[in-house]
Amino acid sequence: MTSTYIHGIGMTKFGRLESSLKELLLEACNEAVKDAGNPKIDAVFVGNFMGGSISNQEILGAIVANELGLGYIPSTKVEGACASGGIAFRQGILGIMSGEYDTVLVAGAEKMKHASTPDVTQAINSAMDTTTTEKMAGLTFPGFFGVLANRYFYETGASKEHLARVALKNRENGVNNPLAQFPKHTSLEEILSARMITDPLGLFDCSPMTDGAAAVVISKKKSPIAVKASSQVSGPTKMQDAIDLLSIPAIGESGRLAYEKAGLGPEDIDVVEIHDCFSMTEIIATEELGFFNRLEGWKAVEEGRTKVDGDKPVNTSGGLLSRGHPIGATGLAQIYQLVRQLRGNAANQLAKNPRLALAQNLGGTGSYSTVHILERV
Amino acid sequence: MKIYSCCEKDSISKRFYCPECRSSEFAEKEVSDDGTVYSYTKIHIAPAEFADIAPYNVVLVDLDEANAKVTTRMEEDVEIGDKVTFDRLEKGAYIYKKVPERVQLH
């Protein structure tokens, strides 16, 4: 089977930006292609979620191929809600594994800050099954994780303070990342007293609206960073049909598949980027990925195990909560941070010189999950 | 409350096909509207179409007479374990209400 290697990475600043969706996309792509040494690109995959609904802009693949002068090559936009970037990355990998392409440019981008919060919330709600009575009841995307969090508290003894500790850790990490959306320090008190979004999730427990883009060049040609495993699964699309609300099976199953492909276990992973769309989601994901026992992820937070200097550092970039969450770009921003960690020049670089890195990207309320494991070779 | 069942699985929503046997024929049964609060959230930041009624409670109710849950909206604040029942259907949404304390004693 053909192996895939990472050759170049690029990422814009995340936040409220003047640049258009197209400008952000091209900036990240150009940086990644230059970082890769300007190779011939055989195909383009772009992850994007709301370019059509919020910016009235589709054909992002062809725009990249044309504006960067890549020639008459195939290009594709990939949609998988907040996992659009991770799925695009996987499509590129599959294209190389199949033998069809030697070198692929994968990008993700989103432009959100120009639209109003109710309009963006409405657009994000399209990542739920909109034909159901629960959508008619007014369930929102953050609302799902609020319901989950209250049940998690009830069953475990965890509290809002544990969620706040996740938010604080990711903010402290984000402050050291010059590309992150939020450069300011905060405190547990500020997080705990912030206005409520969907009980018990306050402002700091929810990932923000963000403009930004990220891109990666991958190839079958060798480089110092290999893609050791790529997995993707689909999960339940309705809250009321969840067999166990405190499990997000898409995360667990994508993790299990990735470990199996890589011949590794959770104990082997040195550094992790997890899809912390909400503070609660990070805790559940650390359990689903096998880093901590089920219903005990909150204890690991309490013990500081997921901090930069902990034994299982999670979201050294600041995560979605502080790096920001330009939906289609997030999966590739995770790869960007992990490649920097493996190259040894990341924001919050780990002292222990990491060799194995894992990225997990979630779409919907558990509708999609991708896991990628990278290895410094 | 109507429950759709196939292959020993109950659901409040009628699926297009049973994931086990692929049948589109589901056994339908009426069960009590009564249930117990499994979990809840109060939504303060709502999408445009619900902004006029925010904040509102979305409550996941475990039905007493079926192995199924239903996502409802409630005006009253609730806690996990509270007894609740159907009040009305409103624009396709199940609106639930608390069962008065004295009734719970029986």
Side-chain angles (χ1 to χ4, degrees), chain A residues 77-159:
Chain A
K77 186 193 99 165
V78 174
E79 187 281 316
C82 305
S84 299
I87 298 173
F89 187 55
R90 178 171 159 80
Q91 290 302 309
I93 293 165
L94 294 177
I96 288 170
M97 287 172 71
S98 75
E100 179 76 2
Y101 310 128
D102 286 355
T103 303
V104 174
L105 170 62
V106 187
E110 213 73 59
K111 179 80 182 166
M112 303 167 73
K113 293 294 277 184
H114 62 295
S116 75
T117 301
D119 285 347
V120 171
T121 308
Q122 185 90 16
I124 291 173
N125 263 18
S126 72
M128 301 195 301
D129 184 338
T130 59
T131 64
T132 66
T133 54
E134 68 180 25
K135 187 263 176 187
M136 300 311 289
L139 180 65
T140 60
F141 200 78
F144 171 89
F145 289 98
V147 174
L148 191 159
N150 274 328
R151 186 73 198 185
Y152 189 88
F153 292 174
Y154 180 80
E155 291 200 19
T156 63
S159 71

Side-chain angles (χ1 to χ4, degrees), chain A residues 19-302:
Chain A
S19 307
S20 67
L21 177 62
K22 173 177 164 180
E23 287 166 336
L24 292 169
L25 187 56
L26 294 177
E27 181 186 333
C29 286
N30 200 46
E31 188 182 327
V33 171
K34 274 202 321 212
D35 186 45
N38 204 19
K40 180 185 175 298
I41 303 288
D42 300 317
V44 176
F45 291 91
V46 178
N48 175 256
F49 176 57
M50 51 174 65
S53 58
I54 293 286
S55 296
N56 194 34
Q57 181 64 67
E58 298 285 8
I59 66 159
L60 298 174
I63 286 173
V64 169
N66 185 59
E67 293 288 345
L68 294 185
L70 303 179
Y72 299 124
I73 60 170
S75 63
T76 307
K77 186 193 99 165
V78 174
E79 187 281 316
C82 305
S84 299
I87 298 173
F89 187 55
R90 178 171 159 80
Q91 290 302 309
I93 293 165
L94 294 177
I96 288 170
M97 287 172 71
S98 75
E100 179 76 2
Y101 310 128
D102 286 355
T103 303
V104 174
L105 170 62
V106 187
E110 213 73 59
K111 179 80 182 166
M112 303 167 73
K113 293 294 277 184
H114 62 295
S116 75
T117 301
D119 285 347
V120 171
T121 308
Q122 185 90 16
I124 291 173
N125 263 18
S126 72
M128 301 195 301
D129 184 338
T130 59
T131 64
T132 66
T133 54
E134 68 180 25
K135 187 263 176 187
M136 300 311 289
L139 180 65
T140 60
F141 200 78
F144 171 89
F145 289 98
V147 174
L148 191 159
N150 274 328
R151 186 73 198 185
Y152 189 88
F153 292 174
Y154 180 80
E155 291 200 19
T156 63
S159 71
K160 200 168 149 43
E161 188 183 323
H162 296 96
L163 302 186
R165 286 190 184 281
V166 172
L168 182 64
K169 165 185 71 75
N170 290 353
R171 176 58 67 92
E172 283 171 354
N173 292 351
V175 166
N176 295 327
N177 180 356
L179 297 181
Q181 182 164 1
F182 296 120
K184 282 191 193 147
H185 287 282
T186 183
S187 64
L188 268 188
E189 295 69 36
E190 188 183 15
I191 294 170
L192 286 167
S193 61
R195 70 187 168 97
M196 203 54 87
I197 302 297
T198 181
D199 173 65
L201 307 178
L203 184 64
F204 290 82
D205 293 304
C206 303
S207 53
M209 290 163 51
T210 309
D211 303 332
V216 178
V217 173
I218 53 178
S219 176
K220 72 174 190 180
K221 297 186 188 95
K222 284 206 160 57
S223 86
I225 295 172
V227 179
K228 186 94 174 158
S230 170
S231 70
Q232 179 187 344
V233 304
S234 308
T237 55
K238 292 189 278 292
M239 180 169 79
Q240 62 196 9
D241 284 348
I243 294 163
D244 175 3
L245 187 66
L246 301 186
S247 169
I248 299 179
I251 301 177
E253 186 61 14
S254 58
R256 195 191 61 72
L257 283 170
Y259 293 137
E260 187 179 292
K261 286 166 195 266
L264 298 167
E267 65 282 2
D268 298 314
I269 304 297
D270 299 316
V271 60
V272 185
E273 289 287 313
I274 269 178
H275 194 93
D276 57 327
C277 47
F278 303 93
S279 50
M280 185 67 243
T281 325
E282 177 169 312
I283 294 175
I284 289 284
T286 59
E287 297 173 5
E288 290 285 350
L289 294 170
F291 299 134
F292 311 115
N293 290 335
R294 190 175 136 70
L295 303 183
E296 290 183 2
W298 62 284
K299 292 183 184 168
V301 172
E302 203 168 69

Side-chain angles (χ1 to χ4, degrees), chain A residues 271-275 315-317 319 323 334 337-338 358-360:
Chain A
V271 60
V272 185
E273 289 287 313
I274 269 178
H275 194 93
N315 288 330
T316 61
S317 67
R323 181 187 61 224
Q334 294 177 326
Q337 174 68 8
L338 294 179
L358 181 147
Q360 181 268 321

Side-chain angles (χ1 to χ4, degrees), chain A residues 117-119 121-122 125 132-140 142-144 146-152 154-155 195-201 238-246, chain B residues 9-13 15-16 37-51 53 56-60 68-73 80-81 89-95:
Chain A
T117 301
D119 285 347
T121 308
Q122 185 90 16
N125 263 18
T132 66
T133 54
E134 68 180 25
K135 187 263 176 187
M136 300 311 289
L139 180 65
T140 60
F144 171 89
V147 174
L148 191 159
N150 274 328
R151 186 73 198 185
Y152 189 88
Y154 180 80
E155 291 200 19
R195 70 187 168 97
M196 203 54 87
I197 302 297
T198 181
D199 173 65
L201 307 178
K238 292 189 278 292
M239 180 169 79
Q240 62 196 9
D241 284 348
I243 294 163
D244 175 3
L245 187 66
L246 301 186
Chain B
K9 290 219 170 64
D10 294 343
S11 178
I12 188 76
S13 44
R15 283 174 171 268
F16 288 86
V37 173
Y38 184 79
S39 195
Y40 60 92
T41 187
K42 184 190 282 285
I43 294 180
H44 295 261
I45 304 297
E49 63 187 306
F50 293 103
I53 61 164
Y56 54 89
N57 296 308
V58 170
V59 180
L60 186 61
K69 296 189 184 74
V70 55
T71 302
T72 69
R73 188 165 71 237
I80 291 173
L89 202 60
E90 190 177 288
K91 292 181 188 166
Y94 292 105
I95 310 298

